[in-house]
Amino acid sequence: MKKFILLLFLGATAFISAQNINGRFSSSLYTFERYDSLNSSEQYIRAFEMLNLNLNYEKISIRSYLNYETDVMNDLETDPRLRFYNLYLEARDIMDIATVRLGRQPIINSVAGGVFDGATLTLKKTDYKLNAYFGGSVPAYQKFELIENFDENYLFGGKFTTTVIHNFQLGLGYVNKNFQPQNYTADRLKADLTPIEVEIQNKSNQYEFVTGEVNYNQQGLVYIFTRYDYDLNFNQTSKFEFDARTEAVKNWAINLYFNYRQPKIRYNSIFAVFDYGNTYEVEVGTDYKINSMFTITGKFGNVQYKDENSQRIGLGLSTTYGSVNYRKTFGYAGELDAISLYSGYTFLEGLLTPSVGLSYTNYKLSPDDEANNITTLMVGANIRPFRTLSFDLQGQYMDNKIYKNDMRFFFKLNYWFNLNI
């Protein structure tokens, strides 16, 4: 309770001194039916209240993003629950070079992305940028509290990027994330082969990576992205990614994607002793713009596993009124044929935007298995009477051998606000 009183006090103080207050409030309801047994079910109406609030004074801001969830009809064991995704102080353009963030904030990293409690320092000057961070892991369910045993549940790292070479962006990063697993007991044998119960305590080291990036962008002609991740705990290459796109030929675009990946396993996990093997993934694709209304796309991909391989094909037609897509997979990953249609269009200068989506999928895990199918239907509408207010309504239907005639409904209200004091 003391934490919330302190939060309200700080918020009130910042509110009084703020020059600008902006953000978004959303309220939504989601209904579904859950079967506890073959002949017994209960209806649920989940309620979610989201607030994104920013208090700004010159180059200083307090930014927050929180969510409150509960059930209107049948409370779950964890209801109600308040999640704090963001709550941090931000000071920008200090001496025209630095930005500082302090508090619960997002981290964008392919190894340890999410949110953390701590500090971030960003230095930017001309073609050079350095971003460094240090903090602790967030408690389960984003509770408004600091995690226990901070010395065992921390992360730190940084990334340096430069665009000093024309059309190129070069980057070098490092991340070290630690998470303390829960202790557990297991039976072990003594020297005389009599069993004893032993408490297993694992170390907290989880991920430690260095990363490198080389990106090239010649506007309107060629875009190339490459990334390399090296796992310092296992002393091996974790991932190499290459993604390229060219639009050098009028109305045509060609994509090439390559990915080499080792399974990303926590260093302190028992799964680290198994040999899963790595994967090589290659995909080529193209799209052709017929005119301003129609574009055709096509892709083919192959994934090489340790001893097997799998392929996929994708075909699509995109229009100003919607899209039609077909997807097929075969090989080690199973056999699947899926077709989907989606359409959405805005009327009355943005007041009404109806949408509809339909898909049918036929799949089986291997050629000798029995085929299964699933049908899904989505019908919805966005109503926006004012620029700052919108309503979303959506009905969802699914039918297969597990979920027969499954109906769900979703409603959401969005309100944007921006107030200068």
Side-chain angles (χ1 to χ4, degrees):
M1 187 65 183
K2 293 180 180 179
K3 296 177 181 178
F4 286 100
I5 294 176
L6 176 61
L7 176 65
L8 292 174
F9 174 76
L10 293 175
T13 303
F15 184 89
I16 294 172
S17 60
Q19 290 180 331
N20 173 268
I21 302 173
N22 65 68
R24 178 167 67 101
F25 170 76
S26 295
S27 179
S28 56
L29 295 173
Y30 185 58
T31 69
F32 60 92
E33 182 180 11
R34 174 178 293 173
Y35 275 83
D36 300 320
S37 64
L38 290 176
N39 301 314
S40 175
S41 67
E42 290 186 344
Q43 294 283 345
Y44 291 86
I45 303 179
R46 301 295 295 169
F48 303 90
E49 315 296 329
M50 186 277 290
L51 176 64
N52 176 217
L53 179 65
N54 303 307
L55 308 176
N56 308 298
Y57 180 81
E58 295 183 351
K59 296 182 179 180
I60 299 176
S61 299
I62 295 179
R63 305 190 184 279
S64 64
Y65 175 34
L66 52 118
N67 185 79
Y68 177 85
E69 61 185 71
T70 188
D71 198 282
V72 177
M73 295 185 65
N74 295 288
D75 287 343
L76 301 180
E77 184 178 348
T78 57
D79 287 339
R81 175 173 284 159
L82 181 63
R83 300 174 184 261
F84 278 81
Y85 295 105
N86 290 334
L87 181 60
Y88 62 90
L89 174 70
E90 179 183 76
R92 300 176 298 277
D93 299 329
I94 302 173
M95 301 177 64
D96 295 325
I97 191 175
T99 296
V100 177
R101 290 180 174 181
L102 182 63
R104 181 165 297 179
Q105 56 190 288
I107 176 175
I108 301 175
N109 188 295
S110 65
V111 177
V115 296
F116 73 103
D117 292 323
T120 298
L121 172 64
T122 302
L123 303 176
K124 186 176 182 180
K125 190 69 173 180
T126 60
D127 294 319
Y128 302 93
K129 181 180 179 181
L130 175 65
N131 178 261
Y133 48 86
F134 174 76
S137 301
V138 175
Y141 308 111
Q142 297 80 37
K143 293 181 180 178
F144 184 54
E145 59 187 42
L146 295 177
I147 197 168
E148 298 180 357
N149 303 326
F150 181 84
D151 58 333
E152 297 285 351
N153 297 278
Y154 63 88
L155 67 88
F156 65 91
K159 184 178 181 181
F160 172 77
T161 58
T162 178
T163 55
V164 66
I165 303 177
H166 183 60
N167 291 337
F168 279 90
Q169 177 178 291
L170 309 178
L172 181 64
Y174 170 81
V175 61
N176 188 319
K177 181 177 180 180
N178 289 262
F179 180 79
Q180 178 62 52
Q182 292 183 353
N183 298 338
Y184 64 94
T185 59
D187 292 331
R188 295 291 186 265
L189 296 178
K190 296 169 61 177
D192 60 359
L193 300 182
T194 58
I196 60 172
E197 194 173 73
V198 178
E199 183 180 22
I200 307 299
Q201 297 176 325
N202 288 320
K203 294 182 179 180
S204 64
N205 48 331
Q206 182 181 21
Y207 296 128
E208 186 177 11
F209 283 73
V210 291
T211 64
E213 293 181 4
V214 179
N215 304 324
Y216 177 78
N217 187 4
Q218 187 175 356
Q219 193 67 35
L221 292 177
V222 178
Y223 171 78
I224 300 174
F225 168 83
T226 63
R227 180 184 180 91
Y228 176 79
D229 294 344
Y230 186 81
D231 191 324
L232 293 174
N233 285 327
F234 291 102
N235 293 320
Q236 65 183 13
T237 297
S238 173
K239 181 179 180 181
F240 175 72
E241 188 175 13
F242 175 89
D243 190 8
R245 178 181 175 88
T246 177
E247 299 177 359
V249 180
K250 183 179 180 181
N251 295 332
W252 282 93
I254 299 175
N255 292 85
L256 175 61
Y257 179 78
F258 173 80
N259 189 322
Y260 165 83
R261 177 166 40 204
Q262 285 275 1
K264 187 185 295 181
I265 302 173
R266 291 180 179 178
Y267 185 68
N268 53 24
S269 169
I270 184 62
F271 296 106
V273 303
F274 297 101
D275 180 17
Y276 291 97
N278 48 46
T279 61
Y280 297 86
E281 180 179 353
V282 179
E283 183 179 77
V284 293
T286 183
D287 53 80
Y288 175 68
K289 186 176 181 181
I290 301 174
N291 52 41
S292 60
M293 294 182 60
F294 298 95
T295 300
I296 300 175
T297 61
K299 292 183 179 181
F300 173 79
N302 180 80
V303 181
Q304 181 67 48
Y305 301 94
K306 184 178 180 180
D307 300 312
E308 303 284 350
N309 60 74
S310 179
Q311 295 77 38
R312 63 178 181 266
I313 298 173
L315 300 172
L317 173 65
S318 300
T319 76
T320 54
Y321 298 97
S323 61
V324 181
N325 292 282
Y326 170 75
R327 179 182 175 90
K328 181 178 182 64
T329 64
F330 45 94
Y332 181 66
E335 298 188 2
L336 176 146
D337 290 274
I339 185 169
S340 61
L341 301 89
Y342 175 81
S343 179
Y345 198 77
T346 298
F347 297 94
L348 303 175
E349 298 181 348
L351 172 63
L352 177 64
T353 304
S355 59
V356 59
L358 174 65
S359 70
Y360 176 81
T361 304
N362 184 278
Y363 62 96
K364 52 185 175 180
L365 294 179
S366 67
D368 298 329
D369 288 343
E370 179 185 357
N372 299 292
N373 62 75
I374 179 172
T375 302
T376 60
L377 172 66
M378 180 274 294
V379 179
N382 174 269
I383 304 171
R384 193 161 187 164
F386 307 103
R387 185 174 61 89
T388 58
L389 179 67
S390 72
F391 303 90
D392 288 285
L393 300 168
Q394 189 176 98
Q396 304 166 358
Y397 170 83
M398 180 172 64
D399 181 66
N400 69 355
K401 69 176 185 179
I402 300 175
Y403 294 97
K404 298 294 292 184
N405 299 322
D406 183 279
M407 290 287 296
R408 306 185 179 208
F409 296 94
F410 177 79
F411 168 79
K412 186 176 184 180
L413 176 150
N414 287 292
Y415 176 69
W416 292 264
F417 54 91
N418 184 30
L419 176 64
N420 294 317
I421 301 177

